[in-house]
Amino acid sequence: MTGVLALLSRGWQDGTARLDAVLLRFATRKHRLIGVAMLRVVIGFATLLYCLSDYSKRRFLWGPDSYNSISTAKAALPRWGFSIFLWSHSTLWFEIAYHAVIVVALAFMIFGGRVLTLAQAVMMWSLHNRNQDILEGGDNLAQILILFLVFTVSNAYFAPGAKQRRARMREREQPTISTVLHNLGAFLIVFQTAVLYFAAGYWKITGKMWQDGVAMYYISRITGFEMSAKYAHLMGNAIVGTAVCYFTIFIELALPFAILSARPWVRKANTVALEGMHVGIMAFMGLVCFGLLMIGADCTCLRDDDYRSLARRFRSVKERILRRGWSPLPARGMTPVAMTAGQDGAADA
């Protein structure tokens, strides 16, 4: 009996020691800095794309005299929703607000930081709530993720002074409230993304068209999107269409398990597959902003170590290609033997 109690006590101590180590690591070191920074860049770029792609039609789509009137937009606002575009019927106010969205999105994409993240959240929510008819779907996720992004350090990469900022972080690796808030915000972003994909995969696998493998065929025939003729032709093939349906379900359901996997290649493979899927959606269905925002969310599913290993692999492959593929052309009139002799003579000199 004493031995059993001793084993239980030792197991309890080991478990609490491991929990303490995890909590200490959570409070002392900021995680997923690269993925969060990439999400920041993507959200800012997608907002700019919304504004600039329809810049000449901005008053028709978002202005006070838009086809979607201010009273109609107010009635369609979700609970606790708001939009600075609905504060006035003045064209001058609209122009100020619209160009403020562009300036804030550009600054947020380049510089990041909590203040600009909060400003971006206000501007992005205002733009989306002014006219929800032209949204593509990824905006709902972006509206949620931007709130979590406020608590993170979003400018540790891909921003001016990022290298110095990371150096200061390494010097101050001790438990802080800022670190806890960053990690909590980053993990909530990952959790929200994983729940979204798992729910999407679950609803697909319970749908008859997805079970039969014909969902992509019918999607490719929807006239409301800018469908590619080649895409529609490919999805008309029974084997290709069914394979794409089942592959989509598999990678969406697998994301939560891939995130928790101890094998880095599982996380990388699943994330790359999801990003490939969204690149296809952008190219074949014309849902560019939707694809961009989903790719930005996917980027947070990889750890910083995953990105570093991918960067090392990329540099290694690049150097190998350069070594094999690049060779100086011999001078005109000189044979390789003559060149070798000249190099030997230069070395002796």
Side-chain angles (χ1 to χ4, degrees), residues 169-236:
M169 289 181 191
R170 288 191 292 269
E171 293 172 358
R172 302 172 184 173
E173 283 197 351
Q174 54 186 355
T176 62
I177 296 296
S178 175
T179 302
V180 173
L181 288 176
H182 167 85
N183 288 331
L184 182 61
F187 288 133
L188 284 174
I189 290 172
V190 176
F191 176 77
Q192 179 64 53
T193 304
V195 168
L196 174 68
Y197 274 114
F198 190 81
Y202 173 78
W203 285 112
K204 285 182 176 68
I205 204 172
T206 57
K208 181 171 175 53
M209 285 194 297
W210 287 93
Q211 292 175 3
D212 295 340
V214 297
M216 297 307 298
Y217 170 82
Y218 288 108
I219 290 173
S220 67
R221 266 64 182 176
I222 296 177
T223 57
F225 300 119
E226 299 175 9
M227 294 295 184
S228 166
K230 291 183 178 179
Y231 171 69
H233 177 71
L234 282 173
M235 294 304 104

Side-chain angles (χ1 to χ4, degrees), residues 18-58:
R18 291 176 184 176
L19 180 61
D20 289 343
V22 170
L23 293 177
L24 184 63
R25 186 167 174 264
F26 186 85
T28 56
R29 182 183 176 187
K30 294 181 175 69
H31 300 278
R32 302 184 186 270
L33 291 168
I34 299 175
V36 166
M38 294 176 75
L39 176 61
R40 180 203 88 225
V41 173
V42 168
I43 288 179
F45 181 72
T47 305
L48 280 175
L49 199 60
Y50 262 126
C51 293
L52 298 181
S53 61
D54 293 312
Y55 186 80
S56 60
K57 304 174 185 176
R58 62 189 183 279

Side-chain angles (χ1 to χ4, degrees), residues 39 49 60 65 72 87 92 150 173 202 209 264 282 294 303 317 330 347:
L39 176 61
L49 199 60
F60 174 72
D65 299 322
T72 303
W87 290 356
L92 177 61
V150 172
E173 283 197 351
Y202 173 78
M209 285 194 297
M282 293 165 61
M294 295 306 300
R303 303 174 186 176
V317 172

Side-chain angles (χ1 to χ4, degrees), residues 268-308:
K268 296 173 190 176
N270 192 260
T271 302
V272 169
L274 287 171
E275 293 184 352
M277 179 182 72
H278 290 302
V279 169
I281 290 173
M282 293 165 61
F284 296 129
M285 298 180 67
L287 300 176
V288 177
C289 288
F290 169 79
L292 282 174
L293 291 171
M294 295 306 300
I295 288 174
D298 297 342
C299 290
T300 62
C301 297
L302 292 181
R303 303 174 186 176
D304 291 338
D305 291 339
D306 296 333
Y307 284 109
R308 294 188 185 101

